[in-house]
Amino acid sequence: MAESNPITAPLPLRLPVPTSADAFTEDVWETLFALLDAVTPSIVVGAEVTDKKNQLQITETQCIEAYERIKKTMRDNAPDYAKFKEYLGSRIVEMPAYQDHIRRFVGNLHKTAQQDLARLLRILDTQIGSLAMTGYRVPVKDQPIAVREAIFQSWQNAWLSVFPYAAGIFMVIAKLAYAQLDPVLREISDYTDHQQDYKPGPSFEYDFMQFPAGDEPAVVDVDVVIVGSGCGGGVCAKVLAEAGHDVLVVDKGYHFTPSQLPMNAPTAAEYLMEGKLGLMTEDNSINVVAGSNWGGGGTINWSVSLQPQGFVRQDWADKGLPFFNTQEFQNCLDRVCGFMGVSDAHIRHNHGAQVILDGARKLGWHAKACPQNTGGAEHYCGRCFHGCGSAEKQGPAVSWLPAAARSGARFIEGLAVSKVLFDKKKKGEAVGIVGKWVSRDKDGNADSPLSDRTQRTVRVNAKKVIIAGGTLQSPLLLMRSGLKNPHIGRNLYLHPAAQVRAAFPQDVKCWEGGVITSVCTTFENLDGKGHGAKIETSCGIPYILLHGHPYENALQWKLDAVRVRQMANYISIVRDRDTGRVFPDPDDGRPRIDYKTSTFDRANSLAGIVGIAKLCYVQGATEIWPDVPGVPPFKRSTTSTSTPVTMAEYDESKFDQGINDPEFSEWIKLLERTGHDSPKAKWSCAHQMGTCRMSARPTDGVVDPKGKVWGTENLYVADASIFPTATGVNPMITNMAIADYISRCISTDLKKSGSSSGLRASL
């Protein structure tokens, strides 16, 4: 029987009221919106201008010429002239949703960043400050839009670093919001937040523990408490629960069902991402994305399931960790892959992935399909960054944690753990954790003010404590718990990823299809020690693709953005040799990231960028934009042909020169000469590793070869923070395999000690 009311779109979720930014007065907000408006302004033909201050004027001839270029490149998918003018003329800064989004973005910044931004905006709101920063006495918010645009252009090219730094901040904020929210761009690109044939997958009914209000801590007694429900925590929960132990998994995030996924961008940032998608390194060069929800990074990652390569395993073994060269480690890898149905047998590659495979074949490079953790399903969906609505991706919330529940594991969502508890008489012996629990509201939502939700301190007594909060949070929890090991928080690897965008003659809609289903490994071992770059596709959701797109002026950027449906997004992702650190924010304790991409790793990043450009060129890209400051896009002036010349006309002058094409070769030389050392260079990061490093000796790391924190008893870490170095591959499978090993060792230890107790709660 057919469903009476089938769900054809994800169930909408309300957003909470934006967090207030105390340093922002209404004058400061007005200046900010005036600057953002200049990045993506309303562009109008002169005769149709109605607001001289806030509309950028072009001539009818300019508009027609721009439209003809769009018609030529977009062909049948080009909008008509009226819609094109509507697109150019839209002024998104007037939309309440835009203003709410910007206030939310700023409110989610850490206090120091808010204060620095407000200070800069206040300076621009004075005559003296405006003169110093812009060359004009008139404050920015009072300037016409053309002057504001010119200010950005001058800032970008200024020699004093503060100016391009400031321009970069405002541009990223503006472009992110525009690409998420502009309704005309979404209409022309045909982008939707979910698949057109949307049907939510099955949902596991979690029975989360609840607590009444009370002044005294609620107390729970278990064998094992696991802090974090992501890839490491989920595996530990299943292994230990199935072994007969009383297991409790706690997480500060909340669970969202497949019928609520994928979320739209603002909602996903609020409910699924660490830092509400606002994490940046201290120098603002790397945008860092991590999960913060029930299921952790496994809820938002992209299905690709690569195992660590031999040179990585040998590197770790050479550091005194021989387990990584054993057959048992391979058994752990195979177990976790087998449970999730990891395979490359059912993949349907999208255009971007096929470019890597076919282009590598033409160039004689090595490329392959990437196995997916989709249980044998085709899973042709590119929006899993915002959660998987089909439930085909076998992340922790879909697979590992339900399996743990079926063996008796219990769960608490919304519990932010403040510290690990230690026995007062036995130094270093962990006995549990304590934290603050916040319930959902009476309607089952997580958007209501805290005053409308139950809050309670919860203490968990446990024989074993496993920290699996991720590379950014696990070291901070150890710090808050009083541990002084100098390695905690250090040795941070980020797999910096530089973007390259390419436009193709056809409609590619790179947000459709699996996000990463192929990889080129030709440049992965440039130093003979396993350091280099892999080439992969990246998330094609328009705001991900466009937020770093080069900006010369507002018209150029809007004309490029309207072609987003013809663009593909690629990354040169580096196995970094050099490291940074994570440390707690002094005001609220959130993770702050100090990391600068080294000259060595930048050179490897550039090699991958050059490789991407060549792959795209031989596959017919018409325009290529590398994320390398100072390098213009490559624009193909002639159409490549893959048709071989006939014997009758066999002449070298008629050969398709491929990457030897003179124009392309000169551009590649410019790219290589320019290098990737500019302080304006940007990267993104979706993989964090190493901040609780595993080591053979206590002087070299944070945990021992079985995951136990050096200098403690009964305290373990089981997530990517314990990696000895960067893996060079998407870390999920390595993380899960190590968690499988650690949890099996913990189970053996518990059984040897004869520990067994029922789960009980004292309210």
Side-chain angles (χ1 to χ4, degrees):
M1 181 179 294
E3 296 179 61
S4 57
N5 292 298
I7 297 175
T8 58
L11 302 176
L13 294 166
R14 297 192 304 262
L15 286 168
V17 174
T19 303
S20 62
D22 295 336
F24 275 63
T25 63
E26 283 307 309
D27 284 343
V28 170
W29 283 116
E30 188 178 349
T31 300
L32 175 59
F33 284 121
L35 284 165
L36 301 182
D37 193 17
V39 178
T40 57
S42 171
I43 302 173
V44 179
V45 170
E48 299 170 13
V49 169
T50 59
D51 183 347
K52 292 183 178 180
K53 180 183 176 184
N54 294 311
Q55 289 177 324
L56 191 63
Q57 180 176 328
I58 59 174
T59 66
E60 186 76 45
T61 299
Q62 286 178 300
C63 191
I64 292 172
E65 289 176 351
Y67 180 63
E68 290 302 320
R69 292 199 301 273
I70 292 300
K71 277 207 307 182
K72 183 178 179 181
T73 55
M74 294 185 68
R75 301 177 182 176
D76 293 341
N77 294 307
D80 62 31
Y81 188 52
K83 180 61 66 175
F84 175 73
K85 292 175 73 175
E86 180 187 353
Y87 165 73
L88 289 183
S90 68
R91 186 169 179 242
I92 193 172
V93 74
E94 295 178 313
M95 292 173 52
Y98 180 94
Q99 296 172 14
D100 180 84
H101 177 86
I102 298 301
R103 290 177 185 271
R104 188 180 309 281
F105 183 94
V106 173
N108 287 332
L109 297 174
H110 61 77
K111 188 174 181 180
T112 302
Q114 288 182 12
Q115 291 172 338
D116 290 346
L117 183 58
R119 188 178 301 114
L120 173 60
L121 292 167
R122 282 195 293 270
I123 289 171
L124 289 167
D125 199 30
T126 66
Q127 287 190 354
I128 295 176
S130 181
L131 181 63
M133 291 289 292
T134 72
Y136 299 95
R137 283 189 177 275
V138 177
V140 167
K141 68 182 180 183
D142 297 323
Q143 291 281 18
I145 196 75
V147 173
R148 282 177 267 156
E149 181 196 37
I151 288 169
F152 272 118
Q153 292 169 318
S154 66
W155 281 358
Q156 283 189 291
N157 299 316
W159 64 269
L160 196 61
S161 62
V162 65
F163 293 107
Y165 179 82
I169 292 172
F170 295 124
M171 285 189 176
V172 168
I173 296 173
K175 290 187 284 188
L176 274 172
Y178 178 86
Q180 290 180 34
L181 299 172
D182 186 78
V184 190
L185 175 63
R186 291 169 71 98
E187 179 185 350
I188 294 173
S189 67
D190 198 31
Y191 173 76
T192 57
D193 291 318
H194 57 84
Q195 291 174 286
Q196 292 184 353
D197 57 350
Y198 178 81
K199 182 179 180 180
S203 177
F204 181 77
E205 296 299 323
Y206 286 95
D207 183 18
F208 291 106
M209 296 183 69
Q210 303 296 315
F211 304 94
D215 295 330
E216 295 298 318
V219 179
V220 181
D221 296 315
V222 296
D223 288 341
V224 183
V225 62
I226 301 169
V227 181
S229 63
C231 295
V235 172
C236 288
K238 176 183 181 293
V239 170
L240 289 163
E242 289 181 346
H245 306 293
D246 290 327
V247 175
L248 175 66
V249 182
V250 305
D251 200 297
K252 62 184 172 69
Y254 295 88
H255 174 57
F256 297 93
T257 64
S259 62
Q260 296 169 312
L261 305 173
M263 299 180 186
N264 62 35
T267 310
E270 181 69 31
Y271 292 124
L272 302 181
M273 313 291 181
E274 186 70 55
K276 318 297 185 185
L277 200 62
L279 286 176
M280 296 291 294
T281 54
E282 292 295 291
D283 67 352
N284 233 41
S285 67
I286 306 178
N287 175 44
V288 179
V289 176
S292 181
N293 58 77
W294 188 256
T299 298
I300 63 170
N301 70 8
W302 303 342
S303 299
V304 62
S305 302
L306 295 170
Q307 298 192 8
Q309 291 158 285
F311 53 73
V312 175
R313 302 184 201 194
Q314 187 62 54
D315 182 21
W316 293 3
D318 291 344
K319 290 176 167 37
L321 303 168
F323 171 73
F324 294 107
N325 257 349
T326 66
Q327 179 59 41
E328 181 53 29
F329 179 52
Q330 185 60 50
N331 293 342
C332 294
L333 291 163
D334 291 341
R335 269 194 297 269
V336 300
C337 288
F339 179 71
M340 296 186 293
V342 170
S343 170
D344 62 3
H346 303 90
I347 294 173
R348 175 160 61 106
H349 297 291
N350 65 10
H351 176 270
Q354 202 64 52
V355 163
I356 291 177
L357 294 171
D358 293 345
R361 181 188 63 80
K362 292 177 181 179
L363 294 170
W365 297 352
H366 181 263
K368 63 180 182 180
C370 294
Q372 309 283 299
N373 69 329
T374 54
E378 181 183 84
H379 193 59
Y380 197 74
C381 173
R383 299 170 178 84
C384 277
F385 182 42
H386 294 167
C388 182
S390 69
E392 292 175 342
K393 181 176 71 175
Q394 298 298 297
V398 171
S399 60
W400 297 96
L401 295 168
R406 287 189 283 270
S407 291
R410 305 288 182 90
F411 310 112
I412 304 176
E413 61 172 357
L415 177 61
V417 176
S418 55
K419 63 181 179 179
V420 177
L421 300 174
F422 293 94
D423 191 297
K424 294 180 180 179
K425 297 180 180 179
K426 299 177 182 178
K427 184 178 180 182
E429 184 171 317
V431 294
I433 54 102
V434 66
K436 183 178 181 180
W437 175 72
V438 179
S439 74
R440 293 174 179 257
D441 63 24
K442 59 183 177 59
D443 298 319
N445 297 315
D447 64 288
S448 296
L450 294 180
S451 58
D452 294 341
R453 298 153 68 185
T454 302
Q455 301 179 61
R456 181 106 182 246
T457 298
V458 175
R459 173 182 174 132
V460 180
N461 298 321
K463 297 177 176 64
K464 302 287 184 181
V465 177
I466 301 175
I467 307 302
T471 296
L472 302 181
Q473 288 289 355
S474 289
L476 301 192
L477 177 53
L478 295 180
M479 291 179 191
R480 293 196 301 270
S481 303
L483 299 184
K484 303 298 183 183
N485 186 323
H487 290 286
I488 296 173
R490 295 191 176 272
N491 310 305
L492 171 66
Y493 298 92
L494 292 182
H495 279 176
Q499 281 189 315
V500 178
R501 287 159 295 279
F504 292 85
Q506 67 270 45
D507 207 23
V508 301
K509 293 186 180 177
C510 69
W511 52 83
E512 302 290 357
V515 180
I516 300 175
T517 61
S518 67
V519 58
C520 174
T521 58
T522 295
F523 307 98
E524 69 180 1
N525 191 7
L526 295 174
D527 68 344
K529 298 179 181 178
H531 298 107
K534 285 184 173 64
I535 294 172
E536 299 175 340
T537 49
S538 185
C539 181
I541 296 174
Y543 78 92
I544 299 294
L545 198 154
L546 291 172
H547 79 276
H549 192 78
Y551 182 98
E552 298 172 19
N553 57 66
L555 180 61
Q556 163 267 322
W557 195 86
K558 276 195 165 185
L559 291 178
D560 285 349
V562 78
R563 298 161 56 200
V564 68
R565 63 189 297 161
Q566 293 178 276
M567 294 183 188
N569 201 19
Y570 298 90
I571 50 174
S572 166
I573 184 166
V574 170
R575 182 186 179 224
D576 37 343
R577 183 192 69 180
D578 302 312
T579 64
R581 69 183 179 109
V582 61
F583 64 96
D585 183 87
D587 294 308
D588 59 18
R590 74 175 72 186
R592 298 269 294 273
I593 301 166
D594 182 13
Y595 182 105
K596 294 183 179 179
T597 308
S598 69
T599 300
F600 175 87
D601 293 325
R602 285 171 180 250
N604 290 340
S605 179
L606 182 65
I609 290 171
V610 171
I612 294 170
K614 291 179 178 179
L615 288 171
C616 292
Y617 181 83
V618 298
Q619 287 304 108
T622 57
E623 196 161 356
I624 302 169
W625 298 270
D627 261 2
V628 178
V631 176
F634 173 78
K635 298 182 180 181
R636 189 189 292 265
S637 60
T638 58
T639 301
S640 175
T641 174
S642 59
T643 305
V645 294
T646 65
M647 182 62 74
E649 57 185 9
Y650 202 74
D651 185 295
E652 286 189 19
S653 64
K654 298 180 180 180
F655 290 176
D656 182 342
Q657 295 296 315
I659 60 172
N660 291 334
D661 171 79
E663 289 183 349
F664 183 69
S665 294
E666 285 303 311
W667 182 79
I668 288 291
K669 290 175 184 177
L670 172 63
L671 179 58
E672 293 174 329
R673 280 198 310 271
T674 303
H676 210 197
D677 292 328
S678 169
K680 294 189 285 186
K682 303 291 184 183
W683 289 266
S684 58
C685 160
H687 308 155
Q688 305 91 42
M689 301 151 283
T691 53
C692 298
R693 182 167 65 186
M694 182 182 284
S695 63
R697 297 176 297 182
T699 53
D700 296 333
V702 179
V703 304
D704 72 12
K706 293 186 178 181
K708 184 162 69 71
V709 176
W710 287 112
T712 72
E713 294 297 329
N714 303 324
L715 178 60
Y716 301 81
V717 182
D719 57 31
S721 72
I722 67 175
F723 289 7
T725 68
T727 56
V729 296
N730 308 63
M732 174 178 67
I733 297 300
T734 308
N735 183 357
M736 289 179 165
I738 297 175
D740 178 84
Y741 167 66
I742 290 172
S743 55
R744 288 172 186 273
C745 293
I746 291 172
S747 177
T748 299
D749 190 42
L750 282 168
K751 289 176 180 177
K752 283 181 179 179
S753 67
S755 299
S756 179
S757 63
L759 182 71
R760 49 192 182 273
S762 172
L763 304 181

